[in-house]
Amino acid sequence: MKILFLTPQPIYQDRGSPIAVDLVLRALSERQEFVDAVTYHEGKDIEYENISIHRTLNVPFIRNIQAGFSWKKIVCDFLMIFKVIPLLLRKRYQLVHAVEEAVFFALLIKFLFKIPYVYDMDSSLAQQMVEQLPWLAPIAPILNYFEGLAVKNALVVVPVCDALAKDIEKYHPRKIVILQDISLLNETPSNVQINLKEQLGISGLILMYVGNLQTYQGIDLLLESYALTLNQTKQADLVIIGGAETDIQKYKELSHKLGIASKVHFLGPKPVEHLAVYLSQADILVSPRTKGRNTPMKIYSYLHSGKPLLATDMPTHTQILDEKVAMLASPEPQAFADKMTCLIKDQSLRLKLGAAGEELIEEQYSYNAFRKKLNQLFDWLKSEIDRDQEGTPPKRAPYTPMETF
């Protein structure tokens, strides 16, 4: 198939959505599909067979585009139009694959050019915007209307988790196929030499967080909980990997205010190919996320590392995690601190949870499993598009709310 792939992120960067996009593009390349991918000016170039990358105009004052709604993203999304239109006029695409807010371009393309689209849904845009900008709450019904319009007109919606799939059932989509993220540990080399305890002067255990430091990730909760934990035990240091420099400075200041700065180590962003090595240095991994519905991609790698995981007991986590594979705590400082203390003091529990989490990932969330699901999805898409081009009425089963190939 000839596919126009719209991805409103910096491709490639070592963070959630760009990593997920990279996995899809790799799998499409392996299928020998022909793909034109339109993306932002930022990001490292990626090279896969049959994949062409088209970047927006390089605007000098737009740098370090972060996850979430921002004026920088609005400008870059607008600039994508000037790449998309010439491609549409020159080439005959059979399918548009639209990631996140690019679905609204895809909706317009469907109406103007009659090209069907896939909605690759990493999060609810309406929910995300209201959570990030509470003053938008009065227009939430309007945001939900446009999200519903995008969902209903998609040939298929591909949410990243069960919670998102359930959220969009109310819009009566034509078809939903859940395609979860996967562990990235199989992608990392083993020849990188890192000894964090020696490097940072840590004599006890290492609590570790990896990811961006946006508010929804719950870093405030993590630091406040860790401060309370230190009142019970000083056997562990906290290591935080990732984050923009402004966010790192913000949380360094909070660490000083809480009196825990000497026990908290901010390492900044690290290459994803070193992820396995860093996770292997941890004794306990943490995911304190307080907002959102989609499962953080890091959860799969956390579990795959064989290290125990402490996470908030919110749908963003519990659609994948239960108490057999992770320690779950309510998103309150004292409750999170109590569970943190429990893991620090109980080695046998750490070993038990770590082994169970690793087993879960090996069975269900490998790249081979991801590729198999994506191949089944695109085989179905090709059959639907071929029927439509031949003028044959599609043989559709009655609507089912969710499907996992």
Side-chain angles (χ1 to χ4, degrees):
M1 284 192 295
K2 292 182 179 179
I3 302 169
L4 178 60
F5 198 105
L6 307 179
T7 174
Q9 295 91 17
I11 302 299
Y12 170 78
Q13 286 185 350
D14 287 338
R15 59 181 173 89
S17 292
I19 292 173
V21 167
D22 181 50
L23 289 171
V24 175
L25 289 176
R26 185 198 311 182
L28 290 177
S29 175
E30 290 170 356
R31 283 178 58 88
Q32 297 295 302
E33 309 290 0
F34 293 91
V35 180
D36 285 314
V38 180
T39 185
Y40 291 172
H41 62 280
E42 282 197 322
K44 296 183 292 185
D45 288 332
I46 53 175
E47 294 185 6
Y48 289 123
E49 187 178 357
N50 299 327
I51 307 288
S52 298
I53 304 296
H54 304 265
R55 297 190 180 276
T56 57
L57 179 68
N58 190 342
V59 182
F61 60 86
I62 295 182
R63 293 289 183 269
N64 301 316
I65 303 166
Q66 300 298 308
F69 182 74
S70 70
W71 69 268
K72 292 181 181 180
K73 289 208 73 178
I74 292 174
V75 173
C76 290
D77 286 349
F78 176 74
L79 291 175
M80 286 180 69
I81 297 172
F82 298 97
K83 287 292 181 179
V84 170
I85 291 176
L87 287 169
L88 286 167
L89 294 177
R90 291 200 318 265
K91 302 187 180 184
R92 294 178 62 85
Y93 295 105
Q94 296 166 280
L95 181 71
V96 176
H97 187 114
V99 180
E100 296 184 337
E101 71 265 22
V103 71
F104 297 107
F105 293 154
L107 181 62
L108 186 61
I109 290 168
K110 179 183 178 182
F111 289 148
L112 295 178
F113 294 87
K114 310 302 180 186
I115 305 172
Y117 67 88
V118 173
Y119 182 5
D120 193 331
M121 191 177 192
D122 286 351
S123 62
S124 166
L125 296 172
Q127 181 188 59
Q128 184 184 89
M129 290 176 69
V130 172
E131 285 182 348
Q132 191 171 343
L133 302 171
W135 54 269
L136 291 176
I139 65 167
I142 297 174
L143 299 175
N144 288 329
Y145 170 79
F146 282 104
E147 181 171 80
L149 195 64
V151 167
K152 284 187 287 189
N153 282 280
L155 184 57
V156 59
V157 183
V158 185
V160 74
C161 60
D162 292 349
L164 276 176
K166 291 175 182 176
D167 284 347
I168 63 173
E169 282 184 35
K170 61 188 177 186
Y171 300 130
H172 303 295
R174 179 175 177 177
K175 187 181 186 69
I176 298 176
V177 174
I178 302 167
L179 189 63
Q180 292 104 332
D181 290 324
I182 62 169
S183 166
L184 301 176
L185 297 196
N186 288 336
E187 313 302 317
T188 59
S190 58
N191 58 351
V192 179
Q193 299 297 318
I194 298 169
N195 188 325
L196 281 182
K197 291 189 177 181
E198 181 178 304
Q199 176 184 325
L200 301 174
I202 297 172
S203 58
L205 305 181
I206 290 180
L207 294 162
M208 183 178 289
Y209 168 86
V210 180
N212 72 59
L213 305 185
Q214 296 290 311
T215 304
Y216 66 87
Q217 297 282 17
I219 308 304
D220 295 84
L221 169 65
L222 175 60
L223 294 175
E224 291 168 12
S225 300
Y226 180 61
L228 293 172
T229 296
L230 288 178
N231 293 330
Q232 303 297 319
T233 176
K234 292 181 170 54
Q235 295 177 35
D237 281 39
L238 175 60
V239 173
I240 296 177
I241 298 175
E245 185 59 34
T246 53
D247 293 324
I248 291 173
Q249 289 304 316
K250 169 186 169 182
Y251 287 115
K252 279 185 176 180
E253 291 174 9
L254 179 57
S255 297
H256 280 286
K257 289 179 182 178
L258 293 170
I260 59 175
S262 64
K263 299 279 284 182
V264 181
H265 311 269
F266 293 88
L267 303 190
K270 300 297 178 183
V272 71
E273 57 265 27
H274 298 172
L275 180 60
V277 179
Y278 279 104
L279 294 186
S280 71
Q281 306 282 301
D283 296 287
I284 300 168
L285 298 166
V286 292
S287 183
R289 185 176 286 207
T290 55
K291 293 181 180 179
R293 301 279 287 171
N294 57 309
T295 301
M297 178 178 277
K298 62 175 156 276
I299 291 299
Y300 302 94
S301 298
Y302 274 9
L303 293 172
H304 201 189
S305 72
K307 299 304 175 74
L309 168 60
L310 169 62
T312 49
D313 60 355
M314 300 183 65
T316 184
H317 290 131
T318 55
Q319 57 196 313
I320 295 294
L321 305 175
D322 59 27
E323 293 183 348
K324 294 178 182 177
V325 298
M327 178 73 83
L328 300 172
S330 62
E332 302 293 337
Q334 189 61 63
F336 205 76
D338 289 344
K339 294 298 179 71
M340 189 182 292
T341 303
C342 179
L343 275 177
I344 291 171
K345 293 182 175 181
D346 193 336
Q347 182 181 15
S348 62
L349 179 59
R350 295 199 302 270
L351 293 172
K352 177 183 176 182
L353 292 176
E358 184 176 12
E359 182 179 354
L360 173 67
I361 297 302
E362 291 285 358
E363 291 177 356
Q364 299 184 33
Y365 301 107
S366 66
Y367 176 69
N368 286 337
F370 173 87
R371 183 174 54 187
K372 179 180 178 182
K373 292 175 185 177
L374 186 134
N375 281 336
Q376 289 174 330
L377 168 61
F378 275 82
D379 286 345
W380 178 86
L381 285 166
K382 187 176 186 304
S383 67
E384 289 291 294
I385 291 168
D386 287 347
R387 285 195 193 103
D388 185 60
Q389 291 176 342
E390 293 167 2
T392 305
K395 299 177 182 179
R396 297 188 185 91
Y399 169 74
T400 54
M402 288 180 281
E403 182 172 351
T404 52
F405 285 123

